[in-house]
């Protein structure tokens, strides 16, 4: 398994830029993060090159996180802000050499009715089509990720079926699905069957893992990751697996789980 350390949740004992070196020292060959935008893109590129690491994934800016934004793509009235965010993400991903960008859909308020959901889906489809067409000249795959509504109440995309239907409908070669098995287990369960169902489609471009339900190390989980890794190997998955978990008691203290791979 090709593992990528998620520098937003792992190695938080170090300042963000120093996490690159820490991950390399622990044997990771790749890194990912949620939002790299507080650091200069060229600086992050140089750090990865210095330590022999590959950036494999970032998120597009999601709006104002502190005010509750979890993505902009589903809001018709924030289209200009969304497009600016995509242009910034494209600059960072291209500079870093990261092949994938996750575009967060956004979360609707608790009182949103069926009409608001329908409007949000229309905006989301329009915006993702715009991303794919506008950025077709770059070697970047733009990803849709289902996220559970327990961690992110009101999030628009919750199931694998929703994500795959959207990507299949839009039918652009630079769109794909980010399959986070932590979210999949919480929302749907039956993860091995979900992998067997969706991996052969070729739409799954990136996988992430974490223990369920606390989002700690994968060996602290109700989901059997040894079985998951066996399944991924049998299905021929050759992409990266992002380790997007919160270490329970220190990053390095919890890395023994990698023996499962």
């Amino acid at each position: 398994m090709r593992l990528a350390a998620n520098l937003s949740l792992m190695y938080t004992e170090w300042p963000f830029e120093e996490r690159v070196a820490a991950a390399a020292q622990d044997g990771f060959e790749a890194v990912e993060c949620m939002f790299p935008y507080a650091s200069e893109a060229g600086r992050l590129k140089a750090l990865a090159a210095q330590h022999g690491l590959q950036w494999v994934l970032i998120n597009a800016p999601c709006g104002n996180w502190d005010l509750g934004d979890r993505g902009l793509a589903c809001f018709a009235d924030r289209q200009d802000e969304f497009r600016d965010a995509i242009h910034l993400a494209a600059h960072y991903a291209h500079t870093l050499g990261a092949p994938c960008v996750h575009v967060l859909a956004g979360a609707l308020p608790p009182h949103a009715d069926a009409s608001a959901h329908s409007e949000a889906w229309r905006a989301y489809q329009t915006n993702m089509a715009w991303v794919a067409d506008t950025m077709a000249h770059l070697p970047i795959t733009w990803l849709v990720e289902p996220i559970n509504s327990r961690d992110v109440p009101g999030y628009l995309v919750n199931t694998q079926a929703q994500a795959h239907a959207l990507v299949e409908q839009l039918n652009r070669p630079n769109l794909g699905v980010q399959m986070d098995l932590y979210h999949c287990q919480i929302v749907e369960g039956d993860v091995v069957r979900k992998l067997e169902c969706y991996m052969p489609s070729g739409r799954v471009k990136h996988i992430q893992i974490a223990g369920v339900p606390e989002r700690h190390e994968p060996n602290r989980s109700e989901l059997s990751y040894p079985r998951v890794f066996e399944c991924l190997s049998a299905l021929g998955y050759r992409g990266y697996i992002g380790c997007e978990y919160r270490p329970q008691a220190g990053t390095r203290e919890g890395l023994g789980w990698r023996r499962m791979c």
Side-chain angles (χ1 to χ4, degrees):
M1 299 292 102
R2 305 168 70 196
L3 302 177
N6 186 291
L7 301 187
S8 297
L9 298 188
M10 299 175 67
Y11 296 102
T12 56
E13 302 93 330
W14 288 264
F16 181 73
E17 292 185 3
E18 295 179 20
R19 298 173 197 177
V20 176
Q25 290 164 7
D26 287 337
F28 285 99
E29 297 179 357
V31 289
E32 63 177 38
C33 74
M34 294 180 182
F35 307 110
Y37 306 106
S39 296
E40 198 273 325
R43 169 70 175 159
L44 295 178
K45 175 184 178 181
L47 284 170
Q50 176 185 346
H51 296 286
L53 291 173
Q54 168 70 47
W55 284 98
V56 297
L57 172 80
I58 61 173
N59 287 357
C62 72
N64 191 321
W65 185 275
D66 292 337
L67 293 181
D69 285 337
R70 295 298 184 267
L72 301 168
C74 73
F75 300 107
D77 60 349
R78 301 180 72 177
Q79 190 175 78
D80 290 343
E81 186 181 356
F82 171 75
R83 292 185 176 188
D84 287 344
I86 294 300
H87 282 294
L88 182 59
H91 165 68
Y92 267 76
H94 188 57
T95 300
L96 297 175
C100 294
V101 176
H102 168 214
V103 182
L104 286 89
L108 298 181
H111 60 270
D113 58 15
S115 175
H117 276 268
S118 295
E119 180 182 350
W121 270 103
R122 288 193 295 271
Y124 187 41
Q125 292 166 347
T126 298
N127 281 330
M128 291 305 294
W130 176 87
V131 171
D133 294 341
T134 303
M135 300 299 168
H137 62 290
L138 294 175
I140 298 169
T141 300
W142 303 84
L143 302 179
V144 174
E145 179 189 14
I147 293 177
N148 80 78
S149 58
R150 185 177 72 196
D151 286 359
V152 185
Y155 196 77
L156 184 68
V157 186
N158 306 128
T159 69
Q160 300 303 312
Q162 289 173 318
H164 281 268
L166 177 70
V167 172
E168 186 175 22
Q169 175 189 344
L170 294 179
N171 191 29
R172 267 62 165 193
N174 58 342
L175 293 182
V177 174
Q178 179 171 312
M179 193 170 183
D180 187 319
L181 303 187
Y182 164 80
H183 293 299
C184 184
Q185 173 69 6
I186 290 172
V187 176
E188 305 175 71
D190 207 15
V191 166
V192 167
R193 290 290 178 263
K194 294 294 186 299
L195 289 169
E196 292 172 342
C197 175
Y198 291 112
M199 293 298 294
S201 72
R203 291 187 292 270
V204 178
K205 304 300 183 182
H206 190 70
I207 287 176
Q208 291 178 322
I209 59 174
V212 183
E214 290 91 0
R215 204 169 191 171
H216 293 321
E217 286 83 352
N219 62 340
R220 300 184 57 82
S221 181
E222 68 187 31
L223 177 61
S224 171
Y225 276 105
R227 179 70 182 92
V228 165
F229 295 144
E230 288 177 6
C231 178
L232 288 171
S233 179
L235 292 168
Y237 180 68
R238 297 292 179 266
Y240 284 96
I241 296 176
C243 305
E244 195 184 37
Y245 65 84
R246 298 185 182 92
Q248 184 184 31
T251 302
R252 286 181 168 161
E253 290 79 357
L255 290 176
W257 69 267
R258 292 183 298 179
R259 290 190 290 270
M260 295 190 301
C261 301

